């Protein structure tokens, strides 16, 4: 089976996406995405067009739904709501239609699952060990890739509970455990490290490699400001929050 480039939460940040593609070049055969192509960033059309041309599989994220009008915006904080409204107006009808038709997770691909949020509910965050522990009963595949939290890492699920996977270097998957694996966010990391995050999954070697890469934050941030999007969305890229 092919090695996979696993990306999530690109959020219309083409500078971060290009850095990930440069850094991972030659190391994978197929690209899988865990949702949130758009929202927050200033390049929604290029992000969706890249997805249409390059992805082997993708599940929808809450921001993808929000931009198509498939999700109420009342619970979004004001900057996220503004960016969803801006994105909806900016997207071409073909790109809106593509987002509108994205599959709900969890989506089976080969012998693993893709999910935006929790495998039990696509919109739920899996942030803590206590969020992850009950999911041992909910997961269908031995390995489920998820995003939504923008935090690289994930969890090993055992009968006695969950423990965190440290998002560092190469992690080996053991045959008798279940895994929730988060590649981190390409376009808006929130773990205090502003570098773009992604993962390479090698089913043959049973390894996940967690990677971080610097990108041109100045350019992504200035596009956000030039588009008239909230300045906080530019500032948080520098802080990785
Ligand atoms: Zn997101």
């Amino acid at each position: 089976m092919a090695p996979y480039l696993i990306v999530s939460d690109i959020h219309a940040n083409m500078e971060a996406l290009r850095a990930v593609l440069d850094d991972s070049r030659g190391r994978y055969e197929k690209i899988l995405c865990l949702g949130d192509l758009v929202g927050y960033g200033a390049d929604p059309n290029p992000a969706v067009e890249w997805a249409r041309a390059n992805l082997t599989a993708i599940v929808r994220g809450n921001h993808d739904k929000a931009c198509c009008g498939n999700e109420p915006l009342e619970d979004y904080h004001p900057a996220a709501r503004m960016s969803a409204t801006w994105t909806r107006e900016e997207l071409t009808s073909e790109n809106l239609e593509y987002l509108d038709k994205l599959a709900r997770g969890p989506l089976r691909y080969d012998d693993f699952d893709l999910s935006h949020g929790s495998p039990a509910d696509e919109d739920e965050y899996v942030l803590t060990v206590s969020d992850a522990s009950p999911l041992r009963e909910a997961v269908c595949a031995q390995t489920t890739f998820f995003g939504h939290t923008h935090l690289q890492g994930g969890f090993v699920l055992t009968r006695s509970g969950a423990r965190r996977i440290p998002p560092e270097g190469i992690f080996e998957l053991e045959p008798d455990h279940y895994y929730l694996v988060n590649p981190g966010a390409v376009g808006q990391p929130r773990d205090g490290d502003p570098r773009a995050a992604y993962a390479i999954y090698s089913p043959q070697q049973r390894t996940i490699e967690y990677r971080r890469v610097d990108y041109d934050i100045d350019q992504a941030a200035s596009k956000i400001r030039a588009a008239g999007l909230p300045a906080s969305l530019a500032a948080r890229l520098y802080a990785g929050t």
Side-chain angles (χ1 to χ4, degrees), residues 6 146 149-154 164-169 181-185 189-191 193 195-200 208-213:
I6 314 275
F146 75 104
T149 62
H150 298 209
L151 301 174
Q152 198 175 38
R164 277 186 191 282
I165 302 172
E168 290 153 7
V181 176
N182 191 328
R190 292 181 189 163
D191 53 7
D193 179 346
R195 294 176 300 166
Y198 71 96
I200 301 279
I208 309 288
E209 184 179 0
Y210 293 104
R211 305 270 307 172
R212 300 302 282 258
V213 59

Side-chain angles (χ1 to χ4, degrees), residues 190-232:
R190 292 181 189 163
D191 53 7
D193 179 346
R195 294 176 300 166
Y198 71 96
I200 301 279
Y201 170 44
S202 170
Q204 234 149 22
Q205 291 166 345
R206 301 189 56 79
T207 55
I208 309 288
E209 184 179 0
Y210 293 104
R211 305 270 307 172
R212 300 302 282 258
V213 59
D214 284 310
Y215 73 94
D216 189 347
I217 298 180
D218 286 340
Q219 178 74 9
S222 73
K223 282 184 187 172
I224 286 171
R225 289 188 296 262
L229 287 162
S232 61

Side-chain angles (χ1 to χ4, degrees), residues 9-11 35-36 38 40 62-63 116 148-150 188 190:
D9 298 282
I10 293 166
H11 284 295
D36 277 3
V38 298
Y40 298 131
N62 53 309
H63 285 263
H116 183 63
H148 195 32
T149 62
H150 298 209
Q188 194 198 72
R190 292 181 189 163

Side-chain angles (χ1 to χ4, degrees), residues 125-181:
Y125 290 92
V126 187
L127 281 163
T128 64
V129 162
S130 49
D131 294 336
S133 291
L135 296 173
R136 171 71 180 78
E137 305 306 318
V139 293
C140 298
Q142 200 186 359
T143 305
T144 301
F145 292 93
F146 75 104
H148 195 32
T149 62
H150 298 209
L151 301 174
Q152 198 175 38
F155 303 90
V156 186
L157 306 177
T158 68
R159 288 194 194 285
S160 53
R163 62 174 190 272
R164 277 186 191 282
I165 302 172
E168 290 153 7
I170 294 173
F171 181 81
E172 282 185 38
L173 302 170
E174 292 172 41
D176 44 357
H177 285 144
Y178 286 76
Y179 297 93
L180 288 173
V181 176

